[in-house]
Amino acid sequence: MRRLGTGIGWRPEIADAVEGMPGIDWVEVVAENVCPGHLPESLRRLRERGVTVVPHGVSLGLGGADRPDEGRLTALAERAEALGSPLVTEHIAFVRAGGALTASPRLEAGHLLPVPRTRDALDVLCENVRIAQDALPVPLALENIAALFSWPDEELTEGQFLSELVERTGVRLLIDVANLHTNHVNRGEDPAEALAALPLEAIAYVHVAGGFERDGVWHDSHAHPVPRPVLDILTGLAARVAPPGVLLERDENFPGPGELERELDSIREAVTVGRAAESAVGGTAVKGAAAAGAGGVGVLAPPVAGARERVAVAETAVLSALVAGTPVPEGFDRVRMGVQARALAAKRAGVVAKVAPELPVILGAGYREAFLEYARQRPMRGGYRQDALDFAGHLLKLGRPGDAGTLRELREWWLDRSGPAPRKRGFADRVLRRLR
């Protein structure tokens, strides 16, 4: 696997800081946030300096019951080519459910949700991965995700699930050590056991990020400093194999450049300590990798039509409980499902405020409470921009907010954006709107 070195997640908020940081070998960019024909100037300058840029997808949903969407695959391929990337990455997760396989409305999670570690889910995932690999111009690597809840009656451990995935498809792995810590706190899974079971030769690179614990639940926030337990897991991984690349993720509450550089130094130190301790585990890593197979892409795939239907029913029931208020399926921890539902609604509120920043301005302090009330019973049906329109339309139908001026401003905002093109305005309309 190509050596990447030490990197950081590129975000517009820290673009200038990233350009000025010493020792940055590569960056990762959220694939859905860049346009191939209009790359940010900061990314252009980094590429001209020889800094590798890797697109990281979040919306493909390869763990879902449906076949991967051709349009999303094409978009991911275009970004890899525009950025000259050596690989692209995505997640082992599902992000939507319902639709034709269940004869039910399509539901969007707006976030990454864990797939059941069952034979059915693995069969579906493997076929989806092969479809994606055929559509992409560069190798694909998949990330293990953080989870707030567990599926009942799972048939495989995390290590077994990932090892068989690699053996059957030859896909690479993006190992997020922060997610291993999250799953340790939330699901009682031992990070050391998970690492011991991984096919280490398949690792493309490693993610490191921070989070916080509240009421016994670890939230993978990407908005806090990297804690010591996550760095210790990184050291344990580095004691088994030299990671081709390690990357710091930060998505919110961005600190100054100095603090980011100190976090990167801590990550480098954790890897160095692990590599120095490699002799303590001897040939364990090599044996583990060999046992996992060399990416047996020739393994025959079982028929998955029936598996797709069974996975579709299961994932739709879970997602409906999380975003549409239907009963929690039997066997799930209702408390944890409630935590996940609230987290999804909070994420929706935060992202809608970013893609439609006028709404918090128009609604003021009442925006968040109003959106969370809306989100409790109304699932997202078409991405965050559509969610913003649906939320505004919902308020308008209820005649809210009660203030006439605010209601008029919200109606104007909705009318401007709900049609196929912006409304044409006369001179008087433009003057009045500017005055308001």
Side-chain angles (χ1 to χ4, degrees), residues 4 45 69 88 95 114 130 150 192 214 238 300 373 385 387:
L4 293 170
R45 289 191 292 268
D69 180 78
V88 297
V95 297
R130 293 191 191 94
S150 298
R214 179 185 295 157
L300 293 176
E373 179 186 345
R385 286 178 175 81
D387 206 23

Side-chain angles (χ1 to χ4, degrees), residues 1-7 23-28 50-54 85-87 89 203-206 243-247:
M1 184 65 206
R2 172 174 169 174
R3 299 289 303 175
L4 293 170
T6 302
I24 294 296
D25 303 306
W26 65 293
V27 298
E28 180 190 78
V51 175
T52 299
V53 182
V54 174
S85 306
L87 78 163
T89 58
I203 294 179
Y205 60 88
V206 178
V246 183
L247 182 127

Side-chain angles (χ1 to χ4, degrees), residues 24-352:
I24 294 296
D25 303 306
W26 65 293
V27 298
E28 180 190 78
V29 61
V30 177
E32 289 81 357
N33 290 351
V34 294
C35 178
H38 303 278
L39 295 178
E41 288 301 317
S42 173
L43 284 180
R44 290 182 183 276
R45 289 191 292 268
L46 287 170
R47 289 191 60 219
E48 289 169 359
R49 283 168 37 191
V51 175
T52 299
V53 182
V54 174
H56 184 54
V58 297
S59 63
L60 199 52
L62 291 174
D66 291 322
R67 295 168 65 87
D69 180 78
E70 291 183 8
R72 296 179 191 276
L73 284 173
T74 298
L76 191 56
E78 289 172 347
R79 283 149 179 78
E81 292 176 334
L83 295 167
S85 306
L87 78 163
V88 297
T89 58
E90 248 288 352
H91 298 82
I92 301 170
F94 77 100
V95 297
R96 61 189 64 86
L101 284 172
T102 58
S104 63
R106 171 70 69 182
L107 300 172
E108 293 278 348
H111 192 55
L112 306 165
L113 296 176
V115 301
R117 296 175 192 153
T118 62
R119 288 290 170 189
D120 276 348
L122 181 59
D123 290 345
V124 170
L125 175 62
C126 286
E127 183 169 271
N128 287 348
V129 167
R130 293 191 191 94
I131 293 169
Q133 288 170 320
D134 289 342
L136 295 171
V138 293
L140 171 68
L142 295 181
E143 178 181 351
N144 60 304
I145 73 162
L148 289 175
F149 65 90
S150 298
W151 286 77
D153 303 321
E154 291 190 315
E155 300 165 347
L156 301 165
T157 65
E158 174 89 331
Q160 291 169 337
F161 193 87
L162 295 181
S163 292
E164 190 162 337
L165 170 66
V166 169
E167 183 178 6
R168 289 170 57 175
T169 66
V171 75
R172 299 286 183 175
L173 295 179
L174 192 180
I175 297 302
D176 191 316
V177 292
N179 292 349
L180 291 178
H181 175 65
T182 301
N183 294 341
H184 171 62
V185 176
N186 293 348
R187 306 206 286 187
E189 298 170 0
D190 187 339
E193 290 182 6
L195 289 176
L198 290 177
L200 299 177
E201 85 288 354
I203 294 179
Y205 60 88
V206 178
H207 271 175
V208 184
F212 66 95
E213 186 171 351
R214 179 185 295 157
D215 299 329
V217 175
W218 186 267
H219 297 267
D220 182 45
S221 67
H222 293 191
H224 296 77
V226 178
R228 172 50 54 184
V230 171
L231 292 173
D232 289 342
I233 297 172
L234 175 60
T235 296
L237 185 150
R240 295 176 175 275
V241 66
V246 183
L247 182 127
L248 172 65
E249 286 189 295
R250 188 78 176 233
D251 295 326
E252 302 281 352
N253 300 334
F254 297 101
E259 185 174 337
L260 288 174
E261 290 173 21
R262 285 190 290 275
E263 288 212 84
L264 288 167
D265 287 339
S266 297
I267 289 170
R268 293 186 185 98
E269 181 183 1
V271 173
T272 299
V273 171
R275 297 309 297 148
E278 182 185 16
S279 58
V281 296
T284 305
V286 176
K287 292 176 183 177
V297 294
V299 177
L300 293 176
V304 298
R308 285 192 185 278
E309 293 178 359
R310 291 188 291 272
V311 170
V313 169
E315 291 182 345
T316 301
V318 166
L319 186 51
S320 181
L322 293 174
V323 303
T326 58
V328 174
E330 186 177 353
F332 284 85
D333 186 318
R334 296 178 185 277
V335 174
R336 289 297 174 90
M337 291 287 280
V339 172
Q340 180 71 83
R342 291 189 293 275
L344 290 179
K347 180 177 176 63
R348 282 175 66 187
V351 178
V352 165

